[in-house]
Amino acid sequence: MNFDFSPEQKAFGQQIRRLLERRCPMTEVRAAFADDVGYSRTVWTALAEAGFLGAAIEGALGGVGLGPLEVCVGAEELGRALAPAPSLASAYLCSEAIRLYGDTTQQTRWLGLLASGDVIGAWACDDGFAPALDDLPELDAGRLRGARSMVLNGMTGDVAVTLARTVRGQPVLALCALGAPEVIRAAAPTIDPTRRAASLRFEDAPAQALGTAGAPEYRRLIERAAVYLAFEQIGAADRALEMARDYALQRKSFGRPIGSYQAIKHKLATIYAGNQIARAHAYYGAWALVADGPELPLAAAGARIAASEALTAAAQENIQTHGGLGVTWDSDCHLFYRRARFDAHVLGAPLAWKAHALTALQVGPGAG
């Protein structure tokens, strides 16, 4: 079985890389730190024009009709550039939720706008795999009441997908336009200012059930997003390794590049091994994502765990390799560390994913 991407898919990834090399230098990432919206409109528009935001959306619905694998190869390049773009909630979660589970009216209204970047999607991500129903907002007669404490793109998003409950206590995915006056927003700080979040309060806000999706579909969306995010994490981990390698080759100690010392060489080799292990898991996750079969829960958990560990290790060792320079604000090392810490927890804590993997192993295919 061949898990590699096709030449056309690799070419799409190279196109996204070249675009980001031109449009997304580290100065653009730093500018997003201080920007009120926390992302680069220039980068977001460029990704839409390149077809990345609509890669998995059918052409008839306003996308480019490529597929999830193109999203995977593109996501790796976003991670490599630390792209300050709201893709995690908008492209990997909100768009996917509407594409997979929305009715025709919902898909027609929102997917084209999401693919063009004219609308940004938000996602309430503080549930984990076993949300407490009593803590969820209530959807009743087209009105949403309650609050969410961690909503990605909550301040800048135009439409949000959140897990809610019906008056009968059944979980349901709800779709809510955030421009309504009944939606009260408050910014929530995060360790990575390019991944902005907010707390939202819905005070009888107009909302719709997203098709018939409930708890199983919610878990499926989290698993799919975990695969996409794993590719972003691998891209960032590879770039952090390259930064450490390049610095080790130019920085000298006792008249020799520090990269010539075993303590540095072995450290960089360990990072490389971790990145490759994560890549193998992510490729399996990409296959399972396209097959959308019973292997997805375990494959997604493996990709999520390995990629989170790889990026965290690469970001930490990148700082250590840079020494005193690595802990300064002027160094770019901390940007990768911020992204590593945020991404490791955004779709659920590491222990939750390990428990998810254990359940999938114990029960077998179809556990998710």
Side-chain angles (χ1 to χ4, degrees):
M1 184 178 293
N2 183 8
F3 288 101
D4 200 6
F5 295 106
S6 70
E8 293 78 14
Q9 290 159 350
K10 292 179 180 178
F12 182 75
Q14 287 299 315
Q15 176 188 346
I16 299 299
R17 175 177 294 196
R18 289 192 295 269
L19 181 151
L20 292 173
E21 287 174 347
R22 295 193 310 269
R23 302 290 187 88
C24 189
M26 279 299 165
T27 53
E28 192 74 15
V29 179
R30 287 178 174 271
F33 268 54
D35 194 290
D36 291 338
V37 297
Y39 72 93
S40 168
R41 295 178 177 85
T42 299
V43 172
W44 190 241
T45 301
L47 290 173
E49 292 174 350
F52 175 74
L53 302 184
I57 298 173
E58 296 178 12
L61 295 173
V64 295
L66 295 176
L69 293 181
E70 282 77 9
V71 179
C72 290
V73 296
E76 182 174 347
E77 301 307 325
L78 265 67
R80 180 182 181 83
L82 288 188
S87 52
L88 173 56
S90 189
Y92 308 159
L93 286 161
C94 186
S95 289
E96 281 283 276
I98 298 172
R99 182 179 73 86
L100 293 173
Y101 304 121
D103 58 33
T104 302
T105 300
Q106 293 165 341
Q107 292 175 342
T108 302
R109 179 182 179 186
W110 294 112
L111 287 181
L113 294 171
L114 287 163
S116 68
D118 293 332
V119 159
I120 293 176
W123 177 269
C125 61
D126 52 349
D127 300 309
F129 287 107
L133 287 178
D134 291 343
D135 296 334
L136 298 177
E138 183 179 85
L139 180 65
D140 181 27
R143 295 286 171 172
L144 193 62
R145 293 180 289 272
R148 306 312 323 265
S149 60
M150 180 66 175
V151 183
L152 290 175
N153 303 347
M155 295 300 293
T156 56
D158 303 289
V159 59
V161 173
T162 179
L163 193 62
R165 58 184 170 87
T166 66
V167 291
R168 297 182 178 179
Q170 298 298 316
V172 61
L173 284 174
L175 185 67
C176 179
L178 296 183
E182 296 88 351
V183 179
I184 311 301
R185 316 191 204 195
T190 66
I191 191 172
D192 184 353
T194 64
R195 300 271 207 208
R196 299 284 175 100
S199 59
L200 301 184
R201 176 165 293 279
F202 304 100
E203 299 180 349
D204 282 331
Q208 302 172 324
L210 195 62
T212 59
E217 291 77 16
Y218 163 79
R219 287 194 298 271
R220 207 68 165 177
L221 285 167
I222 294 294
E223 290 163 353
R224 295 177 68 87
V227 176
Y228 294 139
L229 183 57
F231 277 93
E232 274 205 27
Q233 291 172 296
I234 290 168
D238 279 350
R239 182 63 191 123
L241 172 58
E242 291 172 7
M243 288 173 62
R245 177 205 63 194
D246 293 346
Y247 185 77
L249 291 174
Q250 75 175 44
R251 177 73 167 91
K252 292 185 177 181
S253 177
F254 300 104
R256 295 168 53 187
I258 62 173
S260 66
Y261 295 105
Q262 284 188 350
I264 299 296
K265 288 193 289 187
H266 291 180
K267 179 189 299 186
L268 298 184
T270 299
I271 298 172
Y272 175 81
N275 289 1
Q276 293 304 107
I277 291 171
R279 184 177 296 278
H281 279 285
Y283 273 45
Y284 181 49
W287 171 84
L289 188 152
V290 173
D292 198 25
E295 298 86 359
L296 182 58
L298 181 58
R304 174 78 179 135
I305 295 166
S308 295
E309 292 177 351
L311 178 53
T312 298
Q316 289 174 338
E317 295 298 352
N318 186 29
I319 292 174
Q320 292 295 322
T321 302
H322 279 74
L325 176 65
V327 298
T328 63
W329 176 262
D330 290 338
S331 169
D332 291 333
C333 295
H334 70 94
L335 305 179
F336 287 84
Y337 185 73
R338 289 171 181 271
R339 181 64 62 88
R341 299 314 302 152
F342 184 88
D343 284 357
H345 292 83
V346 65
L347 295 178
L351 284 178
W353 280 98
K354 291 177 181 178
H356 193 61
L358 181 60
T359 299
L361 284 169
Q362 289 176 329
V363 181

